[in-house]
Amino acid sequence: MQQDLIERARTWLAEDPDPETREELSRLVAAGDLDELAARFAGTLQFGTAGLRGELGAGPMRMNRSVVIRAAAGLAAYLKAQGQGGGLVVIGYDARYKSADFARDTAAVMTGAGLRAAVLPRPLPTPVLAFAVRHLGAVAGVEVTASHNPPRDNGYKVYLGDGSQIVPPADAGIAAEIAAIGPLDGVARPEDGWEILGEEVLDAYLARTDAVLAAGSPRTARVVYTAMHGVGTSVLTAAFERAGFPAPVLVAEQAEPDPAFPTVAFPNPEEPGAMDLAFATARRAAPDLVIANDPDADRCAVAVPDPAAAGGWRMLRGDEVGALLAAHLVDRGARGVLAESIVSSSLLGRIAEKAGLGHEETLTGFKWIARVDGLRYGYEEALGYCVDPEGVRDKDGITAALVVAELASVLKERGRTLLDLLDDLAVAHGLHATDQLSVRVEDLSVISDAMRRLRETPPTALAGLPVASAEDLTRGSDLLPPTDGLRYRLDGARVIVRPSGTEPKLKCYLEVVVPVGSAEELPAARTKAAELLDGIKRDLAAAAGI
C-alpha cells in the first residue's frame, strides 16, 4: 500500500508542468510523509455544478496546473462532442495565487484542441466574464476564481454559451470527459495561438451597467467601498463615475488585489471581522452607505448607519438587500418574473404577488436562478443579486451596487433611508426575519452524520412551534430537481438544512414571519422574531448533534 502510494506520487510528479508543485511533491516523497500523500491522492477533485474548487497544492486532490489542464481538456472534448469544436471559449481570472497560470493553461488547451480561445485582458470581476460569454457569442466561458474562499484556495467555474453556469447533465458530461483524459503529454498545449482581449470587452460591460439605472434618477448617495483585497475596485469606481455618483471613498487597506488577503481571516463580507476596516473608514467619512464586494466582485454586501448598532453601522442581511432591490425595481415599473433560491426569504413572493408579477423558487445557486423563464430579477441570501439578466445571467456585485446606490439616493431625496423602507415592507407584508446556523468543519463526516441524524429522527417541534411538514429534498418534486437538503415548515416559520456546495460547511437557513399591524408594532415583532430564531437555532443544533 505504501509503495503503491509512492509510485502514484512519482507518476504524477513525472508529468507535473509546474516547478513549484513538483518541488512540493518531491519533498513529501523524499520525507516519506505518507499521511499527507494519502490525503493528496485519496481521489480526485470532483467536477460538479460549481466546477472545481479546492486548496492549492500538488496532487489530484488539490488545485494545480495538472488538474486544470485535465479539466480544460475534458471541457474541450465535451464541447467538440456537442458539435461546437470550432467555437470560442472566453477565459477570465481573478487575482488569486495561480489564477493567471490556470487561465493561460486553459487557453493553451483550448487552442490545441482546435477551439478558439480569448482571455480577458487582466484580473477582472466574474460578472465581466459572464457578460463576455454572451457579448462575444462564445460557446463556453471559464472563470478561474475561488470567490470568497480562504487564500490557499482556487477554483474553476464553467459557463456554457447561454452565459449561465453549468447544470446537470452538462456537469456529468464534462466530468466524464475529464476522467477519460490520459497522460498529460497527450494533451496539446501550444505556446500561442489564442487572443488576449483588449479593454473593449470591459468597456462594453461598463456601457451595459448604465442600463440598470432609471433615466434621470438621483445619483447623490455617498458610499464607502471595499473590494476585500479582490478585483472590484477599478470596475466599480468606473461604473460609479459613468453613472454620475460621487466617487466612492475606498477602504485603502483593502482596495488593491492581494491574494494573501492580509487584513481578513476569510475574504467574505459575511464573516466576523471582515468589515471592520470598512466600518472604521465609514466612521471617518460619514457616508450614506457602505458597500463591499467579495474578491471576484460577484457578491454585494451593504451596511447602513444605525445608532443602535455597535459602532454605529449595521450590515444588512442578504435577504434584506434582496427585498429592497425587488421593491425598488417594482417601484420603477419592472415587469417579468422575480426569482430566488429556496433558502432565501419568502418576502420576495409577497412583493411579487402584490405587484402582479411572477415568482419562482429554484435550487440554491445562480446556475438555477439565471435559467428562470422571463427572469427580471433574481437573488439569493448569500449576497448574490442579478439586476440585469439580459446582460449578465449570474450574480453581479457591480450592477447590484449601482442599483442599491440609486435606491439610497431616491430615499435620501425624500428624507428617508433603507431602514425606513424595510419598515414599510414589514408593515405591508409582515416582518420576515431570517438567520443562519452555519457550522464550518474540518471533518466532512460531521456534516453527513448531522444529515443522517435529521433524516432518521426529524424534529417534531422547534422553538415550541410544531413541525407541520418535513421534506427530504433528495426526492425532488414537480417544481424542484433532487438536491441534498431537508425542509421543515412550521406555523410562521421555515427551516432548510443543506451541506454547502463550495465550502466545508453545514448550513441551516431559518425564517420566521411575524404579522405586523402598524409601525408601532415593529419593536415587539422584532423582539418576538429574535426569540423564535434563537430558539429554532438551539433546538435544531440539538436535533442535528452539532
Side-chain angles (χ1 to χ4, degrees):
M1 178 64 181
Q2 294 180 6
Q3 192 57 37
D4 176 60
L5 187 58
I6 296 291
E7 285 305 314
R8 279 191 288 149
R10 286 177 173 152
T11 300
W12 184 274
L13 193 58
E15 63 174 20
D16 187 343
D18 189 332
E20 287 184 32
T21 45
R22 278 205 310 273
E23 181 184 346
E24 178 187 329
L25 190 54
S26 295
R27 285 199 309 268
L28 293 174
V29 171
D33 191 341
L34 296 177
D35 288 343
E36 185 62 24
L37 287 171
R40 304 290 185 99
F41 287 85
T44 59
L45 278 184
Q46 292 303 301
F47 189 94
T49 49
L52 293 168
R53 196 176 291 186
E55 185 178 347
L56 290 164
M61 287 295 288
R62 298 288 186 267
M63 281 295 296
N64 51 63
R65 291 183 60 196
S66 295
V67 165
V68 165
I69 289 166
R70 289 181 183 280
L75 174 60
Y78 174 83
L79 293 171
K80 291 168 79 170
Q82 302 295 310
Q84 297 175 319
L88 173 68
V89 178
V90 188
I91 302 148
Y93 59 104
D94 66 12
R96 283 178 177 266
Y97 296 118
K98 297 289 183 182
S99 286
D101 294 337
F102 295 166
R104 186 185 187 283
D105 282 331
T106 300
V109 171
M110 295 300 163
T111 303
L115 289 113
R116 294 181 293 124
V119 183
L120 294 186
R122 53 191 166 88
L124 287 168
T126 293
V128 177
L129 182 277
F131 166 83
V133 171
R134 289 167 61 77
H135 176 67
L136 298 174
V139 298
V142 171
E143 176 69 16
V144 181
T145 180
S147 188
H148 56 277
N149 276 38
R152 285 299 300 169
D153 287 5
N154 213 327
Y156 199 82
K157 186 184 292 189
V158 175
Y159 296 77
L160 293 182
D162 63 355
S164 300
Q165 295 177 51
I166 54 170
V167 295
D171 58 338
I174 296 169
E177 295 286 2
I178 293 171
I181 300 299
L184 286 193
D185 60 11
V187 177
R189 286 182 288 136
E191 289 295 316
D192 52 31
W194 56 90
E195 180 183 3
I196 304 296
L197 294 166
E199 294 293 312
E200 298 83 12
V201 67
L202 178 59
D203 292 342
Y205 169 83
L206 287 169
R208 180 80 200 184
T209 65
D210 297 347
V212 305
L213 302 175
S217 64
R219 314 279 167 91
T220 56
R222 295 175 59 252
V223 169
V224 159
Y225 171 73
T226 176
M228 207 67 66
H229 298 296
V231 297
T233 296
S234 64
V235 180
L236 182 132
T237 53
F240 269 58
E241 182 180 3
R242 287 179 64 103
F245 285 102
V249 176
L250 302 181
V251 179
E253 302 92 331
Q254 299 174 335
E256 295 303 317
D258 187 337
F261 303 106
T263 69
V264 292
F266 288 94
N268 178 353
E270 293 180 297
E271 293 285 346
M275 295 292 289
D276 288 355
L277 287 171
F279 293 153
T281 305
R283 284 189 285 273
R284 294 191 299 269
D288 300 302
L289 293 173
V290 172
I291 289 177
N293 287 141
D294 64 339
D296 69 326
D298 62 352
R299 288 173 168 82
C300 177
V302 180
V304 294
D306 184 354
W313 283 84
R314 174 162 86 84
M315 280 281 287
L316 297 182
R317 292 189 173 278
D319 284 315
E320 291 177 315
V321 177
L324 288 168
L325 288 172
H328 179 50
L329 292 172
V330 166
D331 190 54
R332 278 177 29 184
R335 308 308 302 166
V337 177
L338 309 186
E340 62 184 324
S341 61
I342 59 172
V343 300
S344 304
S345 172
S346 59
L347 177 55
L348 187 70
R350 306 277 183 97
I351 293 171
E353 182 181 16
K354 185 172 182 179
L357 300 180
H359 171 251
E360 285 200 30
E361 287 186 325
T362 73
L363 293 184
T364 306
F366 267 82
K367 58 184 174 282
W368 300 108
I369 294 171
R371 285 182 161 76
V372 168
D373 286 341
L375 180 67
R376 173 59 185 88
Y377 166 69
Y379 97 93
E380 63 180 3
E381 55 73 44
L383 310 182
Y385 314 96
C386 174
V387 298
D388 179 25
E390 290 307 304
V392 176
R393 291 196 177 177
D394 199 1
K395 54 188 177 291
D396 183 346
I398 305 296
T399 50
L402 286 170
V403 180
V404 167
E406 178 185 58
L407 171 57
S409 301
V410 169
L411 292 169
K412 186 177 180 180
E413 284 206 344
R414 300 172 185 167
R416 308 187 80 236
T417 68
L418 296 181
L419 294 180
D420 294 329
L421 181 53
L422 285 173
D423 287 350
D424 293 349
L425 293 173
V427 172
H429 304 290
L431 176 67
H432 289 63
T434 58
D435 203 352
Q436 192 177 125
L437 173 63
S438 181
V439 182
R440 185 181 292 272
V441 302
E442 294 291 333
D443 180 1
L444 291 177
S445 69
V446 173
I447 294 176
S448 55
D449 288 348
M451 295 297 289
R452 176 183 49 76
R453 191 176 289 111
L454 289 171
R455 285 189 168 100
E456 291 176 356
T457 313
T460 56
L462 297 169
L465 301 175
V467 175
S469 68
E471 297 172 75
D472 187 340
L473 299 177
T474 56
R475 300 192 176 107
S477 70
D478 292 342
L479 299 176
L480 294 172
T483 189
D484 186 8
L486 300 164
R487 177 162 56 184
Y488 305 110
R489 298 186 190 275
L490 304 89
D491 183 16
R494 181 219 66 201
V495 174
I496 293 177
V497 184
R498 60 179 280 273
S500 169
T502 57
E503 298 177 90
K505 282 184 175 182
L506 180 68
K507 291 189 169 184
C508 310
Y509 305 84
L510 324 175
E511 180 180 43
V512 298
V513 183
V514 180
V516 179
S518 66
E520 290 71 30
E521 296 178 18
L522 277 170
R526 289 199 173 95
T527 299
K528 180 179 179 181
E531 290 171 351
L532 284 171
L533 288 169
D534 285 345
I536 291 172
K537 269 202 270 193
R538 181 187 62 246
D539 293 351
L540 185 63
I546 54 177

